Amino acid sequence: MEKFKLNNELFEVANTKITGEEILTKGNLIPASDYELLIKVNEKGFEPVQLDEIVDLKTPGIEGFFAKPYKKLLVTLDGKPMYFEEFYKTPNEILKAFNIDASNYFLIQIKGDIEIGYANDKDHKIALTNNIKFISCEIEIIDIEDHCNSDYDIPKGCKYKIKIDREKYIVNVECMTGREILALANKVPVERFQLNQKFKGGRVKRIQFDDNVDFTVKGIERFMTLPLDQTEGSK
């Protein structure tokens, strides 16, 4: 396998000799005819690469390839159009460009009858193409106490409502440390409190400050805090 960089993203190909069109296609820049491809070799600066031109990736000094659209790219989100000059964007960057709060929504790409959701991959670099279409979807809030007796798996990529003592809190992550959970409940300094996790059936587990708690694990009912005396909390 041979590697090359296109707009600072790393790609792998089976052959060392590849055409300009294949480079763009590998980077999901389709149709390739919509893009200008440049190559940078050592200190020579940028030189154009034609679509049918063959490049030997083993040529000494190749620093990488750069591509840019010949025209601005039309991106549509929830039926609203916007033009982009850049063509690698994360789902959150696209939502932000359309003034949509990424902490409450995730992005779905529409490809004909196919929907590609990015709820669990918000840092994915999407290669934007002209007339690409997206919709936004509100992030579901999962009450883990309500799900503790369910046989269904708790989905990832959601918001989670967790119960600490008698209060419920909504968090935007699926995993937190014991220290973070105590701080969320305003049990500070956290060293003066013990955190327990109660499961379905009544089992109780002590959570250490640096333990990671995964809210998508089935059977979690709630969390309970207990004040410690200063001596015990410093152990």
Side-chain angles (χ1 to χ4, degrees):
M1 299 294 288
E2 196 69 29
K3 297 180 180 180
F4 69 89
K5 280 189 175 182
L6 174 61
N7 290 357
N8 295 318
E9 298 290 325
L10 192 62
F11 298 92
E12 283 188 345
V13 290
N15 300 319
T16 60
K17 293 184 178 180
I18 186 171
T19 66
E21 183 174 6
E22 289 170 333
I23 292 170
L24 289 166
T25 301
K26 186 66 178 179
N28 291 319
L29 301 180
I30 304 169
S33 56
D34 284 352
Y35 301 89
E36 179 185 11
L37 182 64
L38 304 172
I39 185 173
K40 190 171 191 300
V41 181
N42 287 336
E43 301 300 325
K44 294 182 180 179
F46 296 97
E47 297 179 359
V49 178
Q50 303 303 315
L51 294 182
D52 58 355
E53 184 177 343
I54 297 175
V55 178
D56 188 344
L57 297 177
K58 288 197 171 185
T59 301
I62 292 180
E63 296 184 13
F65 298 90
F66 296 86
K68 59 182 180 179
Y70 286 114
K71 56 186 177 181
K72 293 182 179 180
L73 303 172
L74 176 62
V75 176
T76 303
L77 175 58
D78 296 335
K80 298 178 181 179
M82 183 177 293
Y83 287 93
F84 285 75
E85 293 185 356
E86 299 177 18
F87 43 84
Y88 281 120
K89 289 285 190 181
T90 66
N92 282 0
E93 288 172 339
I94 295 171
L95 287 168
K96 184 178 179 181
F98 283 87
N99 294 317
I100 296 176
D101 187 355
S103 65
N104 293 320
Y105 292 85
F106 67 92
L107 196 69
I108 296 176
Q109 182 179 350
I110 306 298
K111 280 189 172 183
D113 296 331
I114 299 174
E115 295 186 355
I116 304 172
Y118 295 99
N120 299 320
D121 199 5
K122 296 182 178 182
D123 294 324
H124 178 81
K125 290 285 188 178
I126 302 173
L128 300 181
T129 56
N130 201 35
N131 292 316
I132 192 169
K133 292 179 174 60
F134 299 96
I135 59 173
S136 61
C137 186
E138 190 169 7
I139 298 173
E140 183 181 3
I141 299 176
I142 302 294
D143 189 323
I144 65 171
E145 184 181 26
D146 291 347
H147 278 71
C148 74
N149 293 313
S150 173
D151 292 329
Y152 295 101
D153 291 333
I154 297 177
K156 295 181 179 293
C158 299
K159 292 184 177 184
Y160 302 92
K161 185 181 290 186
I162 62 175
K163 188 174 184 179
I164 309 173
D165 296 329
R166 296 183 179 181
E167 299 292 329
K168 289 196 173 184
Y169 303 84
I170 296 176
V171 297
N172 296 325
V173 293
E174 61 196 40
C175 187
M176 294 176 69
T177 65
R179 186 184 304 275
E180 290 169 335
I181 294 171
L182 285 169
L184 177 65
N186 202 31
K187 302 299 181 180
V188 290
V190 297
E191 290 77 15
R192 294 185 181 178
F193 294 88
Q194 175 180 319
L195 180 65
N196 294 324
Q197 183 178 12
K198 186 180 179 184
F199 290 88
K200 171 184 175 182
R203 180 171 70 91
V204 175
K205 173 186 176 183
R206 180 170 181 174
I207 304 298
Q208 303 297 331
F209 297 139
D210 295 323
D211 287 348
N212 284 312
V213 179
D214 186 346
F215 303 133
T216 66
V217 173
K218 290 191 294 186
I220 298 175
E221 181 179 316
R222 59 191 174 95
F223 299 92
M224 302 172 292
T225 65
L226 180 68
L228 298 171
D229 62 46
Q230 189 172 358
T231 302
E232 183 178 356
S234 62
K235 288 181 180 179

